[in-house]
Amino acid sequence: MLVLGAGLLVLGGLAFWRLSSSVLWLEPTTVAILLTVLGGLFLVAGIVRAVRRRKGLGSPSTVQRARALPRMLRAMRDRRYPAPPWSKRLFWIAGIIYIISPIDLLPEVFLPFIGLTDDVGLGAFLLAQLRAETGRFVEVERGNSTPKK
């Protein structure tokens, strides 16, 4: 968030100084103000998030979650951490098979860019599910939560 906020602030500043034509039917000053305000909001949110994480109050970072994945799988194998229910696991497996398989609801042959949206959307959903599960595991490891079945 810090990098995104800083980048938007820089783009907002550049838009104030360099932009002379409209963008998506918006005046240059409007675009510059929007970019600057969004950049400021993301920057403040990133600072708050970093401070909370440093104090141990924030949610685990993506790097912490990625590093926790092998530990979580070992803990599930050793039955020290409860695995998600079978219904959820079967849904994940079916989603991965759907992404890999050549059969699609929206075929890429007829709709080249739109045809990828179902695969990308399902992949994003599966990654979000994995991120949530590893986040719960990290919280249990920290002692902030109890494992849920």
Side-chain angles (χ1 to χ4, degrees):
M1 279 194 169
L2 289 170
V3 174
L4 178 63
L8 286 173
L9 280 174
V10 167
L11 285 176
L14 288 174
F16 268 122
W17 294 106
R18 296 286 186 172
L19 197 60
S20 58
S21 61
S22 63
V23 177
L24 297 174
W25 307 284
L26 294 173
E27 292 297 318
T29 54
T30 306
V31 172
I33 290 170
L34 284 173
L35 287 171
T36 305
V37 168
L38 282 174
L41 289 174
F42 275 103
L43 197 61
V44 167
I47 291 170
V48 168
R49 191 174 180 189
V51 168
R52 288 180 57 96
R53 193 171 290 138
R54 183 167 283 195
K55 290 182 178 180
L57 301 173
S59 63
S61 69
T62 304
V63 173
Q64 289 172 330
R65 291 170 195 252
R67 287 181 180 163
L69 182 60
R71 292 193 316 270
M72 181 181 78
L73 294 174
R74 280 192 301 271
M76 284 181 188
R77 183 192 64 203
D78 298 340
R79 300 195 191 280
R80 291 180 286 121
Y81 181 74
W86 272 105
S87 59
K88 189 181 266 191
R89 287 187 271 176
L90 287 176
F91 180 76
W92 292 345
I93 292 168
I96 292 169
I97 290 171
Y98 178 79
I99 290 172
I100 294 171
S101 77
I103 300 169
D104 280 335
L105 290 175
L106 300 171
E108 285 87 7
V109 175
F110 302 115
L111 307 165
F113 296 109
I114 298 173
L116 290 175
T117 57
D118 61 338
D119 294 332
V120 171
L122 183 59
F125 174 76
L126 291 174
L127 284 175
Q129 291 286 310
L130 181 66
R131 186 177 189 276
E133 192 63 40
T134 54
R136 281 191 287 276
F137 178 73
V138 170
E139 290 296 324
V140 167
E141 273 188 331
R142 287 181 182 172
N144 297 340
S145 177
T146 57
K148 295 181 179 95
K149 290 190 177 190

